[in-house]
């Protein structure tokens, strides 16, 4: 498995290189956007870890070119930028996942493994679980023929759950990923957000897709 890291902070790049090499990956590093774009579009990588703020060419531009040339490439944004708008923009542009610095290496590794396991049938722009369809580019979610009217935050939350179908996601992980806040003990905000999302995604329909796993978190799957 070959991974490309596009990262201009040499410390972060070295840390990633060490950790990923020790985990058995072949790693290439580009320290600016121009080199990153060249490597990403001229060589095959199983996964590209992409920073957003980069010298010469930024991550937004790079992912557009990657998506145009290699629609199947898996891309994980790793960035200090936060805010749900950035996250939604990243997902809209075709990122498969998004992790905000600082991060735990174990969390990054878990996400990388999950991305690499993910079947290529699940294209990055469209997610389908049962009769739920999510079009990330068009910002549209439907169940059957019924369009769901979601806020940007609800949409980001649904995308996150759908991209990791069958995986139980903890409240802390959801809070950190969708809101970029460390809630510690107060993850009640996640429960409230999930309840609102359920009212739109599940309540009007017979088949429920969002499930509570007691003591652990939430999972979106067909049961
Ligand atoms: Ca940077």
């Amino acid at each position: 498995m070959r991974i490309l890291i596009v990262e201009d902070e040499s410390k972060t790049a070295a840390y990633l290189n060490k950790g990923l090499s020790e985990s058995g990956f072949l790693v290439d590093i580009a320290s600016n956007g121009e080199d990153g774009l060249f490597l990403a579009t001229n060589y095959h990588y199983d996964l590209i870890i992409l920073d957003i703020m980069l010298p010469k060419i930024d991550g937004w531009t790079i992912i557009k070119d990657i998506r145009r040339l290699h629609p199947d490439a898996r891309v994980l944004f790793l960035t200090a930028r936060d805010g749900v708008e950035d996250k939604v923009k990243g997902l809209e542009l075709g990122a498969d996942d998004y992790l905000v610095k600082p991060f735990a290496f174990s969390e990054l590794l878990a996400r990388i493994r999950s991305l690499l396991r993910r079947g290529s049938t699940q294209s990055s722009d469209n997610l389908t679980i049962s009769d739920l369809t999510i079009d990330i580019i068009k910002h549209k979610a439907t169940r059957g023929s019924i369009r769901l009217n979601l806020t940007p935050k609800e949409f980001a939350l649904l995308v996150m759950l759908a991209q990791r179908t069958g995986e139980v996601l903890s409240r802390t992980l959801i809070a950190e990923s969708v809101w970029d806040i460390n809630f510690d003990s107060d993850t009640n905000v996640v429960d409230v957000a999930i309840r609102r999302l359920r009212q739109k995604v599940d309540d009007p329909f017979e088949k429920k897709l969002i499930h509570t796993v007691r003591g652990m978190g939430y999972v979106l799957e067909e049961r």
Side-chain angles (χ1 to χ4, degrees):
M1 289 284 182
R2 187 172 279 276
I3 296 182
L4 173 65
I5 298 167
V6 189
E7 170 64 74
D8 60 315
E9 291 165 57
S10 55
K11 257 189 182 171
T12 308
Y15 169 71
L16 288 172
N17 187 12
K18 183 168 181 286
L20 292 172
S21 300
E22 282 171 3
S23 305
F25 296 102
L26 295 169
V27 181
D28 285 344
I29 294 175
S31 59
N32 63 63
E34 199 174 66
D35 292 350
L37 182 60
F38 177 80
L39 288 173
T41 52
N42 285 284
Y43 297 92
H44 169 78
Y45 291 97
D46 298 291
L47 179 76
I48 298 161
I49 297 175
L50 190 57
D51 188 14
I52 292 179
M53 303 304 282
L54 288 160
K56 296 182 184 176
I57 302 173
D58 67 24
W60 302 130
T61 309
I62 295 175
I63 195 167
K64 280 186 200 158
D65 280 4
I66 292 175
R67 280 286 163 257
R68 193 166 46 78
L69 296 164
H70 304 290
D72 296 333
R74 292 180 178 88
V75 180
L76 183 146
F77 265 131
L78 183 63
T79 171
R81 297 197 62 162
D82 54 12
V84 73
E85 292 81 11
D86 278 345
K87 204 159 292 187
V88 169
K89 183 177 175 187
L91 296 172
E92 276 176 350
L93 289 175
D96 297 287
D97 204 351
Y98 197 116
L99 199 55
V100 175
K101 297 172 194 169
F103 58 93
F105 186 76
S106 57
E107 165 73 2
L108 174 69
L109 195 58
R111 293 205 187 190
I112 288 174
R113 294 212 162 113
S114 161
L115 277 179
L116 294 177
R117 264 198 316 268
R118 196 178 294 164
S120 51
T121 47
Q122 197 78 302
S123 101
S124 54
D125 299 342
N126 281 290
L127 299 164
T128 305
I129 298 103
S130 184
D131 61 348
L132 170 70
T133 307
I134 304 169
D135 187 324
I136 295 176
I137 301 283
K138 290 184 184 154
H139 230 279
K140 194 171 129 187
T142 54
R143 280 204 70 173
S145 57
I146 298 165
R147 177 147 189 189
L148 308 175
N149 186 18
L150 305 176
T151 65
K153 221 165 254 190
E154 288 165 348
F155 188 78
L157 179 58
L158 183 64
V159 166
M160 185 201 181
L161 286 163
Q163 284 187 319
R164 301 168 83 170
T165 302
E167 235 181 285
V168 180
L169 305 178
S170 71
R171 287 174 177 78
T172 311
L173 178 61
I174 293 171
E176 285 174 0
S177 307
V178 180
W179 288 272
D180 297 329
I181 303 172
N182 233 319
F183 284 99
D184 290 329
S185 53
D186 184 21
T187 46
N188 185 42
V189 63
V190 174
D191 296 331
V192 172
I194 291 274
R195 201 177 309 140
R196 285 208 196 104
L197 187 62
R198 271 178 162 157
Q199 283 170 1
K200 297 177 178 177
V201 174
D202 272 347
D203 287 359
F205 306 97
E206 200 180 332
K207 188 188 266 180
K208 311 303 176 197
L209 296 174
I210 300 169
H211 309 278
T212 307
V213 182
R214 280 189 71 179
M216 292 181 72
Y218 295 99
V219 60
L220 189 149
E221 66 185 359
E222 189 174 3
R223 288 192 175 164

